Amino acid sequence: IAEDVDVNREIIAAVLENTGVCIDFAEDGLEAVALFSKNPNKYSLILMDIHMPKMDGLSMCDAIKKINQEIPLVITSAHNDTNFLRRAIEIGVTTYAMKPIDLYQLIESIIKAMEPIILKRKLIELNLSLESKIEKEINKIKSILDAQDNIIIVTNKEEITNVNKKFLDFF
């Protein structure tokens, strides 16, 4: 969380700490970029204010996206200027929550930002699980083929896809 106003930082922290997530705080954009640069794999989401001293939120977003294109970025702002919103989109801001901070909107924005990452993780887990199941089934088929006394060749009409141990021993 990069937020220069203590009260906002405390409110956001109170809400998010109840979810069990670990939070690092920065009081300005430069401090946040320095924290992120030290260990970019530590963070799953960056939540930041737009108006901060030393480095504003959009410049911070730009610097962070140069380190990790995939990190979700949630901004908090009272801005509704179309040029500002266009620049935020160009930089790669995932979503935003309006100020004054509405906790429900903030949580909704965080969920919206994290959803693709959670789905991607689930997809990776599912693919690994499917690959493991396929490997087990292939091994079952191989053991069935190898148990045969005859020479067996399996093809897809264009190439040999499998043979049994008798085939390999014979040839």
Side-chain angles (χ1 to χ4, degrees):
I1 299 174
E3 171 64 62
D4 61 323
V5 178
D6 291 338
V7 174
N8 289 342
R9 200 170 42 247
E10 290 168 10
I11 290 170
I12 295 168
V15 170
L16 295 180
E17 284 174 346
N18 291 331
T19 65
V21 298
C22 293
I23 303 169
D24 285 336
F25 297 98
E27 293 184 14
D28 61 68
L30 282 178
E31 183 183 349
V33 171
L35 274 172
F36 186 75
S37 297
K38 286 180 188 172
N39 192 358
N41 295 327
K42 177 181 178 183
Y43 302 100
S44 299
L45 176 108
I46 308 280
L47 175 67
M48 81 221 60
D49 184 15
I50 287 302
H51 292 294
M52 293 184 288
K54 299 183 185 175
M55 178 187 269
D56 68 82
L58 289 183
S59 298
M60 179 187 142
C61 290
D62 196 31
I64 286 174
K65 282 294 186 173
K66 287 177 182 168
I67 298 167
N68 179 349
Q69 282 285 335
E70 303 299 316
I71 189 88
L73 303 172
V74 177
I75 57 174
T76 59
S77 175
H79 272 292
N80 60 6
D81 174 33
T82 55
N83 290 328
F84 163 79
L85 294 174
R86 186 180 319 112
R87 182 162 177 245
I89 291 168
E90 288 169 356
I91 290 171
V93 169
T94 310
T95 188
Y96 67 95
M98 294 301 292
K99 282 189 172 183
I101 294 175
D102 174 345
L103 296 179
Y104 293 108
Q105 183 191 23
L106 178 64
I107 291 169
E108 185 179 298
S109 295
I110 290 170
I111 291 169
K112 188 185 296 183
M114 289 301 297
E115 190 175 38
I117 289 177
I118 293 167
L119 291 174
K120 184 177 180 180
R121 287 179 187 160
K122 285 183 180 181
L123 183 60
I124 289 169
E125 288 174 15
L126 183 60
N127 281 338
L128 291 173
S129 172
L130 288 173
E131 287 173 5
S132 173
K133 288 178 183 177
I134 289 170
E135 187 68 30
K136 286 179 185 175
E137 293 301 314
I138 288 171
N139 287 337
K140 282 183 191 176
I141 292 170
K142 282 185 178 271
S143 65
I144 291 169
L145 292 177
D146 288 342
Q148 303 300 311
D149 288 331
N150 298 321
I151 293 174
I152 299 178
I153 302 169
V154 180
T155 72
N156 62 7
K157 295 187 180 181
E158 293 179 9
E159 60 185 352
I160 296 174
T161 58
N162 211 334
V163 296
N164 66 347
K165 185 168 176 7
K166 290 285 184 187
F167 176 91
L168 294 173
D169 291 343
F170 185 79
F171 290 100

